[in-house]
Amino acid sequence: MSTTTPEQTRSRAGRRADRDTHFEVEQFYYEEAALLDDGRYADWLGLLADDLEYWAPTRTNRLRRQQSLSVSPRGGTAFYDETKDSLAWRIRRFDSGMAWSEDPPSRTRHLVTNVMVQHVDPAEHPHFTEDDLQVRSAFLVYRNRLEREENVFAGSRTDVLRRVGDGLRVARRTILLDQNILQAKNISTFF
């Protein structure tokens, strides 16, 4: 006679991750933040899946009844619409001395909070499995450059993390900045 409970046979799709998985994801994000803050961009690339989609759409102010139109759609205007290869190109440019906006380099501090982790629902994300994770988090990035340039970027990220062997890789990242007009002179910061 089987002792399997209905809870054990139920699909994990769309369900909240367990405590150990949640802790693993938080540690992954803390490592990612440390790599970015230390300027270890080549190592950061190692946390990204080869088929990465890294997207930060722009926003506009809309009336409450038009909020669904406040975020630019896919293919529309975006601060970032990148792949792993295009991010690698940006990073090589930093090292070339040709990226004037990052020479001397910015000092950053990435804070990640409000992490919510659930298993991917393959019906919503057909290229992923229930072992992969959909994660929503809030971030605050402080950036200081030269003597007096300071920027603060706040927003949310929605990621799909792919389980690869014993680790995680960012396969999809959607960054939604709370600002719709950036006060920064440039945006050479990764989120």
Side-chain angles (χ1 to χ4, degrees):
M1 185 165 137
S2 173
T3 59
T4 305
T5 66
E7 186 66 27
Q8 290 171 320
T9 58
R10 193 171 144 206
S11 169
R12 294 181 300 167
R15 291 181 53 209
R16 187 179 314 208
D18 62 38
R19 180 179 29 196
D20 291 338
T21 303
H22 192 278
F23 180 77
E24 177 187 17
V25 168
E26 285 183 328
Q27 294 306 303
F28 176 83
Y29 282 150
Y30 299 156
E31 176 187 357
E32 179 186 27
L35 292 173
L36 289 170
D37 291 340
D38 293 342
R40 296 175 50 199
Y41 302 119
D43 293 334
W44 174 66
L45 281 174
L47 300 179
L48 309 178
D50 291 339
D51 62 343
L52 172 74
E53 292 179 11
Y54 185 93
W55 183 53
T58 59
R59 320 177 70 147
T60 56
N61 289 328
R62 296 287 184 152
L63 297 174
R64 187 171 302 279
R65 67 180 178 271
Q66 296 176 321
Q67 282 302 295
S68 63
L69 302 173
S70 67
V71 176
S72 182
R74 273 295 200 177
T77 308
F79 295 115
Y80 288 101
D81 193 355
E82 306 287 340
T83 64
K84 185 174 182 178
D85 288 339
S86 65
L87 290 173
W89 177 85
R90 285 178 181 263
I91 290 167
R92 282 192 303 274
R93 192 165 173 265
F94 285 168
D95 295 334
S96 74
M98 298 301 292
W100 61 267
S101 65
E102 281 300 316
D103 197 12
S106 298
R107 291 171 296 281
T108 61
R109 186 66 51 211
H110 288 72
L111 306 176
V112 180
T113 187
N114 297 13
V115 177
M116 297 184 296
V117 184
Q118 65 186 44
H119 291 276
V120 166
D121 183 347
E124 293 178 24
H125 300 281
H127 300 294
F128 296 94
T129 71
E130 291 179 17
D131 289 333
D132 300 320
L133 303 166
Q134 184 167 349
V135 184
R136 183 179 165 108
S137 62
F139 68 85
L140 186 71
V141 177
Y142 170 80
R143 175 182 175 222
N144 179 275
R145 186 170 178 276
L146 302 172
E147 293 176 6
R148 294 185 180 93
E149 287 183 33
E150 287 186 314
N151 304 114
V152 176
F153 304 98
S156 65
R157 299 185 311 196
T158 302
D159 293 345
V160 176
L161 302 181
R162 179 179 291 133
R163 187 151 310 272
V164 178
D166 62 348
L168 299 169
R169 298 290 178 269
V170 179
R172 304 287 181 271
R173 174 163 288 168
T174 300
I175 303 150
L176 191 56
L177 293 166
D178 289 336
Q179 303 95 316
N180 64 335
I181 296 177
L182 298 182
Q183 302 297 314
K185 291 181 181 178
N186 60 53
I187 185 167
S188 56
T189 303
F190 300 117
F191 300 98

